[in-house]
Amino acid sequence: VAVKGGRIVASTATQDIGTGTRSVLADTIAREFDLEPGDIDVRIGDSSLPEGPGSGGSRVTASVMPPTLQAVGKLKAQILEQATRKPAPGSNAPWRELIARSPDIAVVETRGEDGKNTAPGIRSPLREVGLIGMVFGWMMRRFSNIAVGAGVPSSVQVIEVEVDTWLGHVRVLNVHTGIAVGKIASPALARSQACGAVIQGLGYALYEARELDPNTGDVL
């Protein structure tokens, strides 16, 4: 995270494949500085930028946000330290004024691995499967820059449907979904993603078909 030309710039080599990484970064950093998301320049998808995780596996936000917040904290301290003039008393946008007058500053942070000691009752899924889990964990760190911690997002879905037994028509009456994801970085995006997943599931179940080769199991 940096100040460049009077604007906040966030940079990471991770990619956004439609899951909202750009928005999560912009929203989170803007909130920390009392700015608008449009005030944050997000640069991603370039291998010359600070290394980031592969985009997938419900891991990007959990991997990118902790070091981003750490970098923001250090950047704030440096901005204040180098400020030649403090914001006017009662200013409703003190950080905007400080950033506009700040020299160019850059802070790089790295997300550390989850500690071996986790919360009571929570166990690492990789440790549970022994050697295979250890090998998989090493491969994820080595090739995807992802450290798998105490768990992964989990969910349960309950769908209430009405079936016309004469005509075979199916109508969805209610959908109940419960998702365990930990701390939400961007509530609007999280809700949109959850609703989108339900719609995708309903579409697949009611309107699409997947034909398999009965001998090989390959999708035809």
Side-chain angles (χ1 to χ4, degrees):
V1 182
V3 178
K4 291 184 179 180
R7 289 181 63 86
I8 297 293
V9 179
S11 305
T12 174
T14 194
Q15 186 55 280
D16 188 339
I17 59 172
T19 49
T21 301
R22 294 176 187 272
S23 298
V24 172
L25 282 165
D27 289 350
T28 301
I29 296 171
R31 192 161 53 243
E32 293 296 311
F33 284 104
D34 292 325
L35 301 174
E36 295 297 322
D39 296 324
I40 311 299
D41 294 333
V42 178
R43 299 176 182 175
I44 63 174
D46 188 328
S47 57
S48 66
L49 299 174
E51 190 173 2
S55 187
S58 299
R59 288 277 164 207
V60 177
T61 298
S63 298
V64 170
M65 284 303 104
T68 297
L69 292 173
Q70 292 171 4
V72 165
K74 291 184 178 181
L75 184 62
K76 281 183 171 182
Q78 291 194 29
I79 293 173
L80 290 172
E81 183 180 329
Q82 299 190 36
T84 57
R85 187 175 61 185
K86 303 300 181 185
S91 170
N92 61 359
W95 282 111
R96 186 182 298 277
E97 296 178 28
L98 287 167
I99 292 166
R101 293 196 293 262
S102 172
D104 289 356
I105 308 170
V107 177
V108 178
E109 276 292 330
T110 302
R111 185 195 191 283
E113 283 198 44
D114 292 341
K116 295 182 179 179
N117 298 320
T118 57
I122 298 178
R123 295 176 295 186
S124 168
L126 296 186
R127 294 182 184 278
E128 289 292 297
V129 295
L131 179 61
I132 294 177
M134 293 173 61
V135 172
F136 178 75
W138 178 84
M139 292 177 63
M140 293 293 285
R141 289 192 299 271
R142 176 66 180 81
F143 299 109
S144 298
N145 198 30
I146 292 177
V148 179
V152 295
S154 301
S155 67
V156 60
Q157 329 292 332
V158 178
I159 318 296
E160 183 183 356
V161 299
E162 181 180 81
V163 180
D164 186 324
T165 56
W166 283 91
L167 300 177
H169 295 166
V170 178
R171 186 164 70 97
V172 177
L173 302 179
N174 290 293
V175 177
H176 308 273
T177 179
I179 308 174
V181 295
K183 184 176 181 180
I184 299 294
S186 180
L189 278 176
R191 181 175 180 83
S192 175
Q193 191 172 17
C195 292
V198 169
I199 293 169
Q200 184 178 17
L202 294 178
Y204 174 60
L206 298 178
Y207 302 110
E208 303 173 30
R210 182 176 66 172
E211 301 294 338
L212 300 179
D213 185 313
N215 297 316
T216 65
D218 291 340
V219 179
L220 301 177

